[in-house]
């Protein structure tokens, strides 16, 4: 490899691309990785403009339980399939380290009490016993498989604080840490100089089994940071600003690499907040190269000192260590125009009410909110009539009468790895609570407040500082260590509050320190959802409404009857830093993470089956043997043309994976509820779709079950329904698809821009596959979802530029015929589509690499891997 270090092209490469280069050099075998691939990466300045394909083999895989359970279900089913086809099922085993953190199952059932965490974890184990038992089987049956048990933390914070290696030492061979994860926000690790991004569960399973990732060599957008953050701004305000700027730049499918003197002023925790939200700004990664702050962070989080020395020496020797002093290296070459942000211009902000990239400066929040109420229905509008703007509802809670209106805050949650990994903003929330309480302010008792940090270290430093006592006093008691409200595990609102919202049809609000606020995600009754820093979450809890101008309106009155404004209680940056320096200590990390390998009492008490093959239980409503490989043969399947397919759904722009495969509660009127009820499961035990992802029968019925889904086949009316075209009946999406399948009808889906945005969710592809969908025709796709569709053998097609279903006059009531040439498609080719109404148009095949063409021919990526395992040659 040394000969390449003298190549002048190396020093011009972005740091993130150097990691891809090292991987190609180390793995070069002239089969999976070829010398030509190395040259392609060295010529990145030119090849990144040409959609050139290169392989990449991540060092490890990261899972969370919502995506991890179905991944292990697939591996168990693949073992069955390999044995049936005459192969050795033990060959279905992770070939690289796989870490699974159980963090998506715990819900905010209990809140505002000191025993909330204990009650929530007890319910978590009761609801998810079968899932956890199954995972424990996997822990014993699979090699290279570590499980971080429930109650330990959020996957990305645990990855940042504990699992991240930065440099791997594999029997004396050193190479950069890198990973793919089955969660979009895997990018949080990019803040440590570790290359990592989110992929679909299907693609991750292939990596686990030794496959390289086939990727288009990306452009790298340079984002130069200068100056320092002002004293009133937080890392949350910074990331919301970056998200807005990068969305405008359109960075989908690209790496973003941060550089410039402003980077040095940001802590790793601040950088992690920025990297975490790469999916929200659309990038594959938001990368910060290794520098001295990286080494300092590793030391402060209790990593081994000898390892730190090795990491620094290796990174410097490989040209992966960035400096910002007088000896600083020349900046790399980046793609196109460089973005630039002066950190001193960042102002306190929130994002919402329906998308994470719709930033609103706090100074404009009241005006923006009132505009949203009146604007036509859309991402920034609710279309309320003038006479309904000021409507209110009165209810009794704990023997006291309260009145709420539009904008009332009913959920305030300090949650999510995005912010709880950052001691600065967490301690700021505690300090703001302390200052407010000392002024005599109170939080309205009906607001569902909660604290769900990403690791036990947060509790340690909040306890050490004494600030947890103030958070407890205003209801932000510890609810558990998990994603909770951020992923929709917000639990029920108190009945009087829920009834008041529904009776008056109010636009109620949630404020959370999370990264996603799509409609229907946080809670079905909070139509407005705002992302905010932890101290702003506390501030809005005191305000009780988002309809407030913090500059001119007080939060309340102090004990002397004087107005208290937000500026009166906002902690100074110097005070926050003093608390960070005094109370965030390495021994806290060592103590918390020293317990992980020992498990928890509840986890250790689980009795799990053993053996190479899993003994499926037909009666289980959590774990079910999926039908993906039941009829599979060693010979390649025949790829038939799509003939007179009906349109299952005609969808608009920005359909998220939450719309396609929701993770939240199972509605009592849904097909999934009907299935569970038929199996004598009580409604109280329905749990969530996310927790049921190990059961294909439920997940098929939960596909497109989001109550906020807007389907043009029904005139854009909200709901999980569609038009059954032959009879013009309105049916649930599942019931319509089931009827189509019984009649032998093929199905397609029409969609707009950014189809499949949001969380990486393999069931957003598996579900449509089980419903009989053969192709999706959209204006554009989110990167991970497009890959997942191919992974399940569903063909992603893209309208030509300037065209969509509306411009072509397509209503969805036509049938569609598509010639597929037996699956012998070319990368990016245009194909003809004919409809029953005489319209003919072209769409581009979004198989972007030759490997993706092979996956499609095999019926999906896992089918490809099974054939390779059984018949290696």
């Amino acid at each position: 490899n040394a000969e390449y270090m003298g190549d002048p092209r190396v020093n011009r490469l972005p740091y993130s691309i150097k990691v891809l280069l090292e991987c190609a050099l180390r793995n070069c075998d002239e089969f999976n990785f070829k010398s030509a691939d190395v040259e392609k990466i060295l010529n990145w300045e030119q090849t990144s403009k040409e959609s050139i394909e290169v392989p990449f083999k991540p060092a490890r895989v990261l899972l969370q339980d919502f995506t991890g359970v179905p991944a292990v279900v697939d591996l168990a089913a693949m073992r069955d399939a390999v044995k049936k086809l005459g192969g050795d099922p033990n060959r279905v085993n992770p070939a690289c380290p796989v870490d699974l953190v159980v963090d998506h199952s715990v819900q905010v059932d209990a809140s505002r009490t000191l025993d909330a965490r204990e009650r929530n974890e007890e319910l978590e184990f009761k609801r998810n016993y079968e899932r956890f038992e199954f995972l424990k089987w996997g822990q014993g049956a699979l090699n290279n498989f570590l499980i971080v048990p429930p109650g330990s933390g959020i996957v990305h914070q645990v990855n940042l604080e504990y699992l991240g290696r930065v440099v791997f030492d594999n029997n004396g061979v050193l190479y950069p840490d890198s990973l793919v994860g089955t969660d979009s926000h895997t990018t949080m690790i990019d803040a440590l100089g570790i290359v990592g991004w989110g992929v679909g569960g299907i693609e991750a399973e292939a990596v686990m089994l030794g496959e390289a990732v086939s990727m288009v060599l990306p452009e790298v957008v340079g984002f130069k940071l200068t100056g320092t953050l002002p004293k009133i701004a937080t890392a949350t305000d910074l990331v919301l600003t970056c998200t807005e700027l990068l969305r405008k730049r359109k960075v989908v499918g690209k790496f973003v690499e941060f550089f410039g003197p402003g980077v040095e002023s940001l802590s790793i925790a601040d950088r992690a907040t920025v990297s975490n939200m790469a999916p929200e700004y659309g990038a594959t990664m938001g990368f910060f190269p290794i520098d001295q702050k990286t080494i300092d962070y590793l030391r402060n989080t209790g990593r081994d000192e000898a390892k730190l020395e090795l990491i620094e020496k290796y990174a410097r020797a490989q040209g992966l260590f960035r400096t910002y002093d007088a000896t600083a290296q020349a900046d790399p070459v980046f793609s196109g125009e460089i973005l630039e942000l002066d950190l001193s211009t960042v102002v306190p902000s929130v994002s919402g009410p329906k998308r994470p990239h719709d930033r609103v400066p706090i100074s404009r929040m009241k005006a923006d909110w009132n505009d949203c109420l009146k604007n036509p229905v859309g991402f920034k509008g609710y279309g309320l009539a003038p006479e309904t703007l000021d409507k209110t509802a009165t209810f009794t809670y704990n023997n006291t009468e309260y009145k709420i209106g539009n904008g009332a805050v009913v959920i305030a949650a300090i949650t999510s790895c995005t912010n709880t990994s950052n001691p600065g903003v967490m301690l700021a929330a505690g300090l703001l609570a302390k200052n407010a309480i000392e002024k005599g302010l109170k939080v309205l008792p009906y607001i569902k407040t909660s604290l769900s940090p990403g690791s036990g270290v947060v509790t340690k430093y909040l306890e050490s500082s004494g600030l947890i006592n103030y958070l407890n006093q205003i209801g932000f008691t510890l609810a558990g260590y998990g994603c909770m409200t951020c992923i929709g595990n917000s639990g029920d609102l108190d009945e009087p509050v829920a009834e008041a919202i529904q009776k008056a049809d109010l636009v109620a609000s949630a404020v959370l320190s999370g990264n996603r606020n799509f409609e229907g995600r946080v809670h079905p009754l909070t139509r407005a959802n705002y992302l905010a820093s932890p101290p702003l979450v506390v501030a809005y809890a005191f305000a009780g409404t988002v309809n407030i101008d913090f500059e001119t309106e007080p939060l309340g009155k102090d004990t002397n009857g004087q107005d208290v404004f937000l500026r009166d209680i906002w902690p100074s940056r110097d005070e926050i830093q003093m608390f960070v320096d005094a109370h965030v200590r390495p021994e806290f990390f060592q103590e918390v993470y020293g317990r992980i390998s020992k498990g928890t009492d509840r986890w250790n008490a689980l009795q799990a089956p053993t053996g190479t093959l899993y003994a499926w239980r037909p009666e289980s409503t959590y774990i079910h043997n999926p039908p993906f490989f039941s009829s599979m043969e060693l010979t390649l399947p025949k790829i038939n043309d799509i003939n007179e397919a009906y349109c299952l759904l005609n969808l608009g722009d920005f359909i998220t994976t939450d719309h396609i495969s929701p993770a939240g509660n199972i509605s009592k009127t849904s097909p999934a509820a009907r299935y569970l009820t038929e199996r004598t499961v009580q409604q109280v035990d329905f749990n969530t779709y996310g927790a049921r992802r190990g059961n294909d029968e439920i997940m098929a019925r939960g596909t497109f079950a989001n109550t906020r889904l807007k389907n043009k086949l029904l005139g854009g009316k909200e709901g999980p329904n569609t038009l059954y075209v032959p009879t013009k009946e309105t049916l649930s999406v599942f019931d319509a698809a089931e009827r189509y399948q019984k009649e032998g009808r093929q199905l397609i889906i029409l969609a707009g821009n950014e189809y499949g945005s949001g969380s990486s969710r393999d069931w957003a592809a598996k579900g449509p596959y089980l419903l009989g969908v053969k192709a999706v025709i959209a204006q554009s796709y989110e990167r991970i979802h497009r890959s997942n569709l191919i992974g399940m053998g569903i063909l992603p097609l893209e309208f030509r530029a300037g065209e969509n279903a509306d411009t072509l006059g397509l209503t969805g009531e036509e049938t569609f015929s598509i010639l597929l040439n037996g699956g012998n498609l070319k990368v990016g080719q245009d194909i003809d589509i004919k409809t029953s109404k005489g319209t003919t148009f072209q769409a581009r095949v979004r198989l972007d690499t030759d490997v993706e063409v092979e996956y499609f021919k095999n019926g999906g990526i896992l089918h490809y891997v099974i054939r390779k395992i059984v018949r290696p040659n």
Side-chain angles (χ1 to χ4, degrees), residues 332-623:
V333 173
F334 292 110
S335 305
E337 184 182 353
I338 286 173
L339 276 175
E340 189 164 346
L341 175 65
D342 180 351
L343 296 177
S344 67
T345 63
V346 174
V347 297
S349 303
V350 297
S351 276
K354 302 181 186 183
R355 295 189 300 186
H357 52 278
D358 291 329
R359 184 180 69 90
V360 187
I362 289 301
S363 59
R364 273 202 34 80
M365 180 59 185
K366 186 180 179 79
D368 188 82
W369 168 251
N370 283 283
D371 286 344
C372 285
L373 289 178
K374 294 176 286 190
N375 289 344
V377 174
F379 296 125
K380 292 288 288 184
Y382 294 96
L384 298 192
E387 64 272 15
T388 65
L389 296 176
D390 297 322
K391 63 184 173 183
T392 60
T394 302
F395 63 95
T396 301
Y397 183 83
N398 289 347
N399 300 317
T400 303
E401 190 170 273
Y402 296 96
K403 182 187 290 186
I404 56 174
N406 291 318
V409 172
V410 294
I411 291 176
I414 299 175
T415 182
S416 174
C417 52
T418 309
N419 284 289
T420 69
S421 61
N422 192 323
V425 293
M426 295 300 289
L427 289 164
L431 286 166
L432 190 139
K434 173 180 180 291
N435 296 341
I437 288 169
E438 289 173 349
K439 290 280 190 181
L441 299 185
K442 289 182 169 58
V443 171
L444 291 163
Y446 62 79
I447 298 175
K448 189 165 190 178
T449 45
S450 62
L451 169 66
S452 53
S455 91
V457 175
V458 177
T459 308
K460 287 286 181 186
Y461 64 66
L462 286 175
E463 288 175 343
S464 172
S465 65
L467 295 177
I468 200 162
N469 299 323
Y470 296 98
L471 290 169
N472 287 341
Q473 286 182 54
I474 57 171
F476 285 94
T477 58
L478 180 63
Y481 297 108
C483 300
M484 301 186 90
T485 302
C486 187
I487 56 155
N489 285 357
S490 51
D492 293 330
L493 294 176
D494 289 310
E495 196 58 38
V497 182
E499 284 181 4
I501 295 169
Q502 291 171 303
K503 189 176 291 186
D505 193 24
L506 295 175
V507 183
S509 179
V511 183
L512 64 153
S513 61
N515 46 45
R516 293 270 163 84
N517 57 345
F518 305 133
E519 283 185 280
R521 178 185 175 97
V522 175
H523 191 282
L525 295 181
T526 57
R527 292 161 62 189
N529 301 280
Y530 284 95
L531 307 181
S533 66
L536 277 176
V537 171
V538 174
Y540 277 108
F542 279 115
T545 180
V546 296
N547 188 22
I548 184 172
D549 180 348
F550 284 132
E551 286 295 313
T552 61
E553 297 178 64
L555 291 169
K557 294 187 181 295
D558 64 16
T559 51
N560 297 318
Q562 298 298 308
D563 286 342
V564 178
F565 291 88
L566 182 58
R567 58 181 172 270
D568 300 327
I569 58 173
W570 193 266
S572 70
R573 181 173 287 276
D574 291 341
E575 184 182 15
I576 294 167
Q577 191 58 50
M578 183 179 70
F579 271 75
V580 171
D581 294 342
H583 300 290
V584 183
R585 301 199 288 267
E587 57 265 31
F588 290 164
F589 294 89
Q590 292 165 339
E591 179 185 344
V592 167
Y593 289 111
R595 295 195 298 261
I596 275 185
S597 60
K598 300 172 185 175
T600 63
D601 291 342
R602 285 192 177 96
W603 182 258
N604 293 336
L606 273 177
Q607 298 297 313
T610 57
T612 300
L613 301 178
Y614 182 69
W616 305 97
R617 292 181 295 182
E619 73 278 5
S620 174
T621 57
Y622 276 100
I623 306 297

Side-chain angles (χ1 to χ4, degrees), residues 668-716:
K668 62 184 179 183
T669 60
S670 65
R674 190 170 68 224
Y675 175 88
L676 289 167
T677 301
E678 288 169 355
R679 283 149 186 80
T680 68
V681 178
Q682 301 298 310
Q683 185 182 343
V684 70
D685 296 319
F686 282 178
N687 211 330
T688 63
Y689 285 111
R692 296 277 183 182
R693 284 184 185 162
N695 188 304
D696 56 281
E697 296 278 7
I698 292 169
M699 294 310 296
R701 287 161 173 80
T703 303
F704 294 107
N706 191 307
T707 57
R708 300 296 181 193
L709 183 73
K710 296 182 181 72
N711 180 5
K712 294 180 188 177
L713 274 170
L714 296 176

